[in-house]
Amino acid sequence: MKLFFFIILISFLFSCADKNKPPSGIIPPKEMSEIMWDVIRAQTLANEIARKDSSINVESQTEVLTKKVFEIHRTTSFSFDKSYEWYTSHPDVLRLMFDSLYTQKQRANDLQKRDEYNHVKKDSLSLKINKK
């Protein structure tokens, strides 16, 4: 009887562990997170380009840049969409990916602020030197 409950417990634990593991054909979480980050950046870039040049259509520019992202990551829009669908049906895994993206965004902002600070500091230093 104890053996029976032990087998049930082990099978339950294994079934729960595999529940959040992407099946074959789904882009692994780390890679998917990297692709999502680049897709977001491509969308942002497309908006910036279109904002500066009114002759450029945002949707077509987004499509072009997103295709380039898929080429860089050696994937397709079909594979990305299929994987994204799987992740949206597994919110615990998706939440971890979004947390990772948020952290990545924060790091990028921190680096940009540091670079801007260093640039301003360097400019003010050169002004002081030139005044002497």
Side-chain angles (χ1 to χ4, degrees):
M1 188 68 155
K2 287 181 184 180
L3 180 61
F4 175 72
F5 284 116
F6 180 73
I7 291 171
I8 297 289
L9 177 66
I10 294 298
S11 63
F12 176 75
L13 290 174
F14 278 111
S15 68
C16 288
D18 290 338
K19 179 181 164 187
N20 288 328
K21 185 179 179 204
S24 176
I26 299 299
I27 300 170
K30 182 173 178 7
E31 187 179 342
M32 185 67 176
S33 181
E34 291 170 1
I35 296 169
M36 287 173 63
W37 174 251
D38 287 345
V39 166
I40 291 167
R41 291 174 54 208
Q43 291 170 343
T44 302
L45 180 59
N47 284 322
E48 280 297 309
I49 292 170
R51 188 178 59 81
K52 291 179 181 176
D53 185 350
S54 61
S55 68
I56 295 178
N57 181 303
V58 176
E59 289 81 19
S60 61
Q61 188 66 30
T62 300
E63 187 178 329
V64 167
L65 293 174
T66 303
K67 282 182 181 179
K68 286 183 182 180
V69 167
F70 294 150
E71 287 173 15
I72 290 168
H73 288 280
R74 295 186 175 113
T75 192
T76 63
S77 61
F78 176 78
S79 180
F80 178 82
D81 292 343
K82 179 180 171 187
S83 298
Y84 189 76
E85 228 176 271
W86 185 87
Y87 284 108
T88 56
S89 67
H90 294 81
D92 292 342
V93 181
L94 186 64
R95 182 177 39 81
L96 291 173
M97 287 174 48
F98 280 135
D99 287 347
S100 173
L101 287 172
Y102 177 76
T103 302
Q104 208 169 353
K105 170 77 169 116
Q106 289 301 108
R107 259 189 246 134
N109 285 345
D110 291 346
L111 287 173
Q112 183 179 6
K113 285 178 186 175
R114 187 194 73 204
D115 289 345
E116 288 171 0
Y117 172 77
N118 287 338
H119 183 70
V120 168
K121 188 175 174 182
K122 184 179 177 183
D123 286 347
S124 66
L125 180 61
S126 68
L127 279 174
K128 288 178 186 178
I129 291 172
N130 290 335
K131 285 184 178 181
K132 290 183 180 181

